[in-house]
Amino acid sequence: MKQLIGIAIFIILVVSVYYDLTEGTLPDHSISEQNIEHADENQDAADQQEGTTLVYQEVIVESGHTVYTIVQALHQDQTIDAGFDQIADDFELLNPEVSAHEIQVGQTYRFPLYIDVQNTPES
């Protein structure tokens, strides 16, 4: 009987871990189009001081969002060549008044876009 209970607990544990890794247990509040404000792709003042150009898009943060998940959603099927630290640093360059780890729900922030400038058609 103890073995049967042990096997049942093991199966439940395996199913739970599988579900957590594939589907996740946190709610997925995907970025809705109404919360994305299409901003001009301009150079930010902080970027000018650093001598770099960052393309960005303004987004209103919803509950459950992180800087990384928003940047991933903005790029959808594209591969992002920047790591977590680079994304956080670029976010903080675009939003010098806030840390990447302290974004607030309902606030609008600038999120970096990593586009391939070489393959972008010229206007």
Side-chain angles (χ1 to χ4, degrees):
M1 186 65 170
K2 289 181 182 179
Q3 289 179 342
L4 185 60
I5 293 173
I7 291 172
I9 290 173
F10 178 76
I11 291 173
I12 291 171
L13 179 67
V14 168
V15 169
S16 297
V17 169
Y18 175 77
Y19 179 79
D20 188 37
L21 293 176
T22 57
E23 301 294 325
T25 53
L26 294 175
D28 181 22
H29 300 287
S30 56
I31 298 174
S32 59
E33 288 298 319
Q34 64 185 353
N35 286 339
I36 298 177
E37 298 175 2
H38 297 285
D40 292 332
E41 296 178 350
N42 293 332
Q43 200 171 8
D44 187 66
D47 300 332
Q48 290 175 355
Q49 292 173 358
E50 295 291 324
T52 61
T53 300
L54 283 177
V55 179
Y56 64 86
Q57 187 163 356
E58 291 185 347
V59 177
I60 300 171
V61 176
E62 292 180 355
S63 178
H65 286 168
T66 65
V67 171
Y68 187 71
T69 58
I70 292 172
V71 170
Q72 277 185 320
L74 291 174
H75 290 84
Q76 296 176 353
D77 296 331
Q78 300 172 349
T79 304
I80 303 172
D81 291 332
F84 297 114
D85 293 334
Q86 182 64 46
I87 291 171
D89 290 344
D90 291 345
F91 174 84
E92 290 173 358
L93 276 175
L94 292 169
N95 304 280
E97 70 281 354
V98 66
S99 167
H101 304 288
E102 297 174 354
I103 60 174
Q104 296 180 356
V105 173
Q107 297 296 315
T108 302
Y109 300 105
R110 294 175 178 172
F111 290 88
L113 295 176
Y114 300 98
I115 58 173
D116 188 4
V117 178
Q118 295 171 349
N119 293 332
T120 304
E122 295 182 21
S123 310

